[in-house]
Amino acid sequence: MEIVTSGKLTKVKSRHKPGVSKQTGFASPATHYLEPTIDLNQELIVNRDATFFVRIDGDAFKEHTILDKDVLIIDRSLARNFDALALVIQDGEFKIQRIPRGFSEEEFTVWGIITYIIHHA
């Protein structure tokens, strides 16, 4: 017996690939309506790692136009600017309020800035 080649086995360079089905008949009249879907994460979130969603239970925050079953998008990485709507911790409880001018962390702790309010229909 004579050895012609030796060494490692090599992968097959060409494999059979199944064919793609060809469309038969008339084309769909709705093909020009195909558009990419809207990704709300891409549209509404700036910093994914620091963004949280909170669902509201009750109408306690009507003065901020936040109603029962609304969803708040809260970004913890944003700056604490004057008059921004924020989720704060005051006296051990979560509250929603606007940041007053010249606030101190002794009054309350800003947990995050509310960037969007998604209303329940």
PDB file of all heavy atoms in Angstrom, residues 101-114:
ATOM      1  N   ARG A 101     -35.087  74.719  41.918  1.00  0.00           N
ATOM      2  CA  ARG A 101     -33.805  75.414  41.744  1.00  0.00           C
ATOM      3  C   ARG A 101     -33.030  75.372  43.061  1.00  0.00           C
ATOM      4  O   ARG A 101     -33.572  75.652  44.124  1.00  0.00           O
ATOM      5  CB  ARG A 101     -34.050  76.858  41.324  1.00  0.00           C
ATOM      6  CG  ARG A 101     -32.775  77.598  40.946  1.00  0.00           C
ATOM      7  CD  ARG A 101     -33.071  78.992  40.451  1.00  0.00           C
ATOM      8  NE  ARG A 101     -33.915  79.029  39.262  1.00  0.00           N
ATOM      9  CZ  ARG A 101     -33.446  78.942  38.008  1.00  0.00           C
ATOM     10  NH1 ARG A 101     -32.167  78.811  37.806  1.00  0.00           N
ATOM     11  NH2 ARG A 101     -34.277  78.988  36.987  1.00  0.00           N
ATOM     12  N   GLY A 102     -31.775  74.997  42.993  1.00  0.00           N
ATOM     13  CA  GLY A 102     -30.897  74.984  44.162  1.00  0.00           C
ATOM     14  C   GLY A 102     -31.267  73.939  45.210  1.00  0.00           C
ATOM     15  O   GLY A 102     -31.106  74.187  46.396  1.00  0.00           O
ATOM     16  N   PHE A 103     -31.727  72.762  44.779  1.00  0.00           N
ATOM     17  CA  PHE A 103     -32.087  71.733  45.755  1.00  0.00           C
ATOM     18  C   PHE A 103     -30.823  71.121  46.349  1.00  0.00           C
ATOM     19  O   PHE A 103     -29.749  71.162  45.765  1.00  0.00           O
ATOM     20  CB  PHE A 103     -32.963  70.658  45.110  1.00  0.00           C
ATOM     21  CG  PHE A 103     -32.191  69.575  44.411  1.00  0.00           C
ATOM     22  CD1 PHE A 103     -31.979  68.361  45.041  1.00  0.00           C
ATOM     23  CD2 PHE A 103     -31.672  69.764  43.145  1.00  0.00           C
ATOM     24  CE1 PHE A 103     -31.281  67.356  44.412  1.00  0.00           C
ATOM     25  CE2 PHE A 103     -30.963  68.767  42.504  1.00  0.00           C
ATOM     26  CZ  PHE A 103     -30.762  67.560  43.139  1.00  0.00           C
ATOM     27  N   SER A 104     -30.967  70.541  47.525  1.00  0.00           N
ATOM     28  CA  SER A 104     -29.842  69.829  48.142  1.00  0.00           C
ATOM     29  C   SER A 104     -30.242  68.371  48.333  1.00  0.00           C
ATOM     30  O   SER A 104     -31.420  68.047  48.460  1.00  0.00           O
ATOM     31  CB  SER A 104     -29.481  70.461  49.488  1.00  0.00           C
ATOM     32  OG  SER A 104     -30.521  70.243  50.419  1.00  0.00           O
ATOM     33  N   GLU A 105     -29.250  67.506  48.333  1.00  0.00           N
ATOM     34  CA  GLU A 105     -29.505  66.073  48.501  1.00  0.00           C
ATOM     35  C   GLU A 105     -30.039  65.757  49.899  1.00  0.00           C
ATOM     36  O   GLU A 105     -30.465  64.642  50.151  1.00  0.00           O
ATOM     37  CB  GLU A 105     -28.226  65.272  48.224  1.00  0.00           C
ATOM     38  CG  GLU A 105     -27.803  65.256  46.772  1.00  0.00           C
ATOM     39  CD  GLU A 105     -28.664  64.359  45.898  1.00  0.00           C
ATOM     40  OE1 GLU A 105     -29.219  63.375  46.416  1.00  0.00           O
ATOM     41  OE2 GLU A 105     -28.783  64.651  44.698  1.00  0.00           O
ATOM     42  N   GLU A 106     -30.022  66.733  50.804  1.00  0.00           N
ATOM     43  CA  GLU A 106     -30.565  66.502  52.141  1.00  0.00           C
ATOM     44  C   GLU A 106     -32.095  66.518  52.126  1.00  0.00           C
ATOM     45  O   GLU A 106     -32.735  65.863  52.942  1.00  0.00           O
ATOM     46  CB  GLU A 106     -30.030  67.560  53.108  1.00  0.00           C
ATOM     47  CG  GLU A 106     -28.526  67.449  53.303  1.00  0.00           C
ATOM     48  CD  GLU A 106     -27.923  68.723  53.869  1.00  0.00           C
ATOM     49  OE1 GLU A 106     -28.661  69.675  54.146  1.00  0.00           O
ATOM     50  OE2 GLU A 106     -26.697  68.751  54.016  1.00  0.00           O
ATOM     51  N   GLU A 107     -32.685  67.288  51.204  1.00  0.00           N
ATOM     52  CA  GLU A 107     -34.140  67.342  51.096  1.00  0.00           C
ATOM     53  C   GLU A 107     -34.694  66.027  50.566  1.00  0.00           C
ATOM     54  O   GLU A 107     -35.643  65.473  51.106  1.00  0.00           O
ATOM     55  CB  GLU A 107     -34.563  68.459  50.147  1.00  0.00           C
ATOM     56  CG  GLU A 107     -34.132  69.843  50.571  1.00  0.00           C
ATOM     57  CD  GLU A 107     -34.469  70.866  49.496  1.00  0.00           C
ATOM     58  OE1 GLU A 107     -35.577  70.789  48.913  1.00  0.00           O
ATOM     59  OE2 GLU A 107     -33.617  71.722  49.226  1.00  0.00           O
ATOM     60  N   PHE A 108     -34.115  65.551  49.461  1.00  0.00           N
ATOM     61  CA  PHE A 108     -34.511  64.283  48.840  1.00  0.00           C
ATOM     62  C   PHE A 108     -33.371  63.798  47.955  1.00  0.00           C
ATOM     63  O   PHE A 108     -32.476  64.559  47.598  1.00  0.00           O
ATOM     64  CB  PHE A 108     -35.808  64.427  48.035  1.00  0.00           C
ATOM     65  CG  PHE A 108     -35.764  65.511  46.987  1.00  0.00           C
ATOM     66  CD1 PHE A 108     -35.207  65.287  45.744  1.00  0.00           C
ATOM     67  CD2 PHE A 108     -36.308  66.764  47.250  1.00  0.00           C
ATOM     68  CE1 PHE A 108     -35.170  66.274  44.791  1.00  0.00           C
ATOM     69  CE2 PHE A 108     -36.288  67.757  46.297  1.00  0.00           C
ATOM     70  CZ  PHE A 108     -35.724  67.520  45.062  1.00  0.00           C
ATOM     71  N   THR A 109     -33.423  62.519  47.594  1.00  0.00           N
ATOM     72  CA  THR A 109     -32.426  61.927  46.710  1.00  0.00           C
ATOM     73  C   THR A 109     -33.070  61.695  45.348  1.00  0.00           C
ATOM     74  O   THR A 109     -34.122  61.060  45.258  1.00  0.00           O
ATOM     75  CB  THR A 109     -31.927  60.584  47.274  1.00  0.00           C
ATOM     76  OG1 THR A 109     -31.416  60.804  48.588  1.00  0.00           O
ATOM     77  CG2 THR A 109     -30.855  59.981  46.399  1.00  0.00           C
ATOM     78  N   VAL A 110     -32.442  62.202  44.305  1.00  0.00           N
ATOM     79  CA  VAL A 110     -32.956  61.992  42.948  1.00  0.00           C
ATOM     80  C   VAL A 110     -32.545  60.597  42.512  1.00  0.00           C
ATOM     81  O   VAL A 110     -31.368  60.283  42.401  1.00  0.00           O
ATOM     82  CB  VAL A 110     -32.411  63.052  41.970  1.00  0.00           C
ATOM     83  CG1 VAL A 110     -32.888  62.756  40.559  1.00  0.00           C
ATOM     84  CG2 VAL A 110     -32.840  64.438  42.394  1.00  0.00           C
ATOM     85  N   TRP A 111     -33.546  59.738  42.273  1.00  0.00           N
ATOM     86  CA  TRP A 111     -33.270  58.366  41.844  1.00  0.00           C
ATOM     87  C   TRP A 111     -33.030  58.311  40.345  1.00  0.00           C
ATOM     88  O   TRP A 111     -32.174  57.592  39.866  1.00  0.00           O
ATOM     89  CB  TRP A 111     -34.428  57.454  42.233  1.00  0.00           C
ATOM     90  CG  TRP A 111     -34.092  56.013  42.105  1.00  0.00           C
ATOM     91  CD1 TRP A 111     -33.440  55.238  43.010  1.00  0.00           C
ATOM     92  CD2 TRP A 111     -34.371  55.169  40.986  1.00  0.00           C
ATOM     93  NE1 TRP A 111     -33.306  53.971  42.525  1.00  0.00           N
ATOM     94  CE2 TRP A 111     -33.869  53.893  41.286  1.00  0.00           C
ATOM     95  CE3 TRP A 111     -35.001  55.363  39.768  1.00  0.00           C
ATOM     96  CZ2 TRP A 111     -33.970  52.815  40.417  1.00  0.00           C
ATOM     97  CZ3 TRP A 111     -35.110  54.294  38.896  1.00  0.00           C
ATOM     98  CH2 TRP A 111     -34.597  53.039  39.227  1.00  0.00           C
ATOM     99  N   GLY A 112     -33.792  59.095  39.574  1.00  0.00           N
ATOM    100  CA  GLY A 112     -33.625  59.133  38.124  1.00  0.00           C
ATOM    101  C   GLY A 112     -34.529  60.184  37.508  1.00  0.00           C
ATOM    102  O   GLY A 112     -35.480  60.653  38.124  1.00  0.00           O
ATOM    103  N   ILE A 113     -34.219  60.554  36.273  1.00  0.00           N
ATOM    104  CA  ILE A 113     -34.973  61.562  35.539  1.00  0.00           C
ATOM    105  C   ILE A 113     -35.986  60.854  34.627  1.00  0.00           C
ATOM    106  O   ILE A 113     -35.629  59.936  33.895  1.00  0.00           O
ATOM    107  CB  ILE A 113     -34.037  62.447  34.689  1.00  0.00           C
ATOM    108  CG1 ILE A 113     -32.981  63.116  35.589  1.00  0.00           C
ATOM    109  CG2 ILE A 113     -34.829  63.483  33.902  1.00  0.00           C
ATOM    110  CD1 ILE A 113     -33.538  64.049  36.624  1.00  0.00           C
ATOM    111  N   ILE A 114     -37.223  61.302  34.686  1.00  0.00           N
ATOM    112  CA  ILE A 114     -38.286  60.727  33.839  1.00  0.00           C
ATOM    113  C   ILE A 114     -38.139  61.334  32.445  1.00  0.00           C
ATOM    114  O   ILE A 114     -38.233  62.541  32.264  1.00  0.00           O
ATOM    115  CB  ILE A 114     -39.676  61.010  34.426  1.00  0.00           C
ATOM    116  CG1 ILE A 114     -39.794  60.360  35.795  1.00  0.00           C
ATOM    117  CG2 ILE A 114     -40.767  60.525  33.473  1.00  0.00           C
ATOM    118  CD1 ILE A 114     -41.037  60.749  36.566  1.00  0.00           C
TER     119      ILE A 114
END
